[in-house]
Amino acid sequence: MDLALANGDLLWLVLALLVGGLATGFLAGLLGIGGGGVLVPVLFETFTFLDVPESIRMHLVLGTSFAVIVPTAISSFRAHRSKGAVDMDVLRRLAPFVIAGVLVGIALVSVVSSTALKWVWVVCGFLLALKMAMGREDWRLADDVPNNALVRLAAFLIGLVSTLMSIGGGMFLVSLFTLCGWSILKAVATSSGFGPIIAVPGFIGYIWAGWGNPELPPMSLGFVSLIGAAIIIPMSVLAAPLGVRVAHGISRRALELAFAAFLALVATRLLVSML
């Protein structure tokens, strides 16, 4: 490869990771999500360019995404909690079931194929895009989050699927809480509290699942690219409080529609890569 071309491509990759980090932090604060919805496509294209083996590419994408989500999720949660918007009782009540789902997800990551992980993202990505596009915040199943087996099962499944998608769970949790009668702001704030609960064990789990894999590229810790994480993390932490400030001050409908379109494009890109 021509040296000038290689240097140019590298510059664009670094710029893409920097922008992806800013977008990740901003969306984490604004929507209460872990940012994986933004990071996954950025990292997927990056690792495709770097010729990471197909058999572990998606694993490395998801593990590196979790490495970034950890500080971003903590920053977002602290910002929302400082405003008194997080329902700590619900957070404590559902946390054990979310963690149980994360642990099952980690066990699956160590045995499933890269193609299987892509299918999880494709199916859930399209469903989430549809939900956000519909934007029906008036749908209600309850007046508050009930303390019953169905909600605990939902928390477990959210932890499981979030681990397989490398997201902080906010996209699912916000939907759950708004269906239970919460305002969108309270739902976003409280869902941010589950981000670290999902991201920390998820990050450790992806390191464990990929430990010693002979196909890993240099500067990897299990299924975590240290170079990718080092570029993105500072930007995401910097932008998360800005997202929180915006979340507490504007209507989010236009952004929901834009993000729905983005999720649909990501799911389509992964689907095309399999076909």
Side-chain angles (χ1 to χ4, degrees), residues 56-73:
I56 64 164
R57 187 179 303 161
M58 197 64 182
H59 294 75
L60 195 66
V61 166
L62 300 177
T64 306
S65 176
F66 261 137
V68 177
I69 287 173
V70 170
T72 303

Side-chain angles (χ1 to χ4, degrees), residues 33-42 44 58-59 61-63 65-66 69 114-129 161-168 171-172 206 259-260 262-271 273-274:
I33 66 175
V38 176
L39 271 179
V40 167
V42 172
F44 183 80
M58 197 64 182
H59 294 75
V61 166
L62 300 177
S65 176
F66 261 137
I69 287 173
S114 186
T115 299
L117 291 173
K118 286 183 183 179
W119 273 115
V120 172
W121 236 103
V122 167
V123 173
C124 293
F126 278 127
L127 289 176
L128 286 168
V161 175
S162 296
T163 303
L164 298 178
M165 294 181 69
S166 188
I167 61 176
M171 288 184 280
F172 297 112
Y206 272 86
F259 196 58
F262 179 80
L263 284 174
L265 286 173
V266 173
T268 301
R269 170 67 179 93
L270 291 175
L271 181 61
S273 76
M274 291 186 290

Side-chain angles (χ1 to χ4, degrees), residues 28-61:
L30 183 68
L31 299 174
I33 66 175
V38 176
L39 271 179
V40 167
V42 172
L43 291 171
F44 183 80
E45 297 301 337
T46 300
F47 294 150
T48 298
F49 172 82
L50 296 175
D51 291 325
V52 172
E54 172 65 25
S55 60
I56 64 164
R57 187 179 303 161
M58 197 64 182
H59 294 75
L60 195 66
V61 166

Side-chain angles (χ1 to χ4, degrees), residues 23-192:
T24 296
F26 181 76
L27 288 172
L30 183 68
L31 299 174
I33 66 175
V38 176
L39 271 179
V40 167
V42 172
L43 291 171
F44 183 80
E45 297 301 337
T46 300
F47 294 150
T48 298
F49 172 82
L50 296 175
D51 291 325
V52 172
E54 172 65 25
S55 60
I56 64 164
R57 187 179 303 161
M58 197 64 182
H59 294 75
L60 195 66
V61 166
L62 300 177
T64 306
S65 176
F66 261 137
V68 177
I69 287 173
V70 170
T72 303
I74 292 172
S75 176
S76 177
F77 171 53
R78 291 179 62 186
H80 278 292
R81 190 178 184 185
S82 70
K83 294 180 178 294
V86 179
D87 190 317
M88 295 302 297
D89 289 336
V90 169
L91 180 60
R92 294 188 189 98
R93 188 207 313 164
L94 297 183
F97 302 97
V98 172
I99 293 173
V102 172
L103 295 177
V104 173
I106 290 170
L108 288 175
V109 166
S110 65
V111 297
V112 300
S113 67
S114 186
T115 299
L117 291 173
K118 286 183 183 179
W119 273 115
V120 172
W121 236 103
V122 167
V123 173
C124 293
F126 278 127
L127 289 176
L128 286 168
L130 178 62
K131 190 274 172 188
M132 296 189 77
M134 293 175 67
R136 293 299 301 270
E137 296 178 12
D138 58 321
W139 287 355
R140 294 289 184 269
L141 298 179
D143 295 327
D144 201 353
V145 179
N147 186 9
N148 59 32
L150 185 59
V151 171
R152 291 191 286 272
L153 175 61
F156 171 82
L157 293 175
I158 287 171
L160 170 61
V161 175
S162 296
T163 303
L164 298 178
M165 294 181 69
S166 188
I167 61 176
M171 288 184 280
F172 297 112
L173 287 160
V174 169
S175 298
L176 173 63
F177 293 149
T178 54
L179 285 173
C180 292
W182 282 12
S183 70
I184 188 66
L185 186 57
K186 183 179 179 181
V188 166
T190 303
S191 71
S192 73

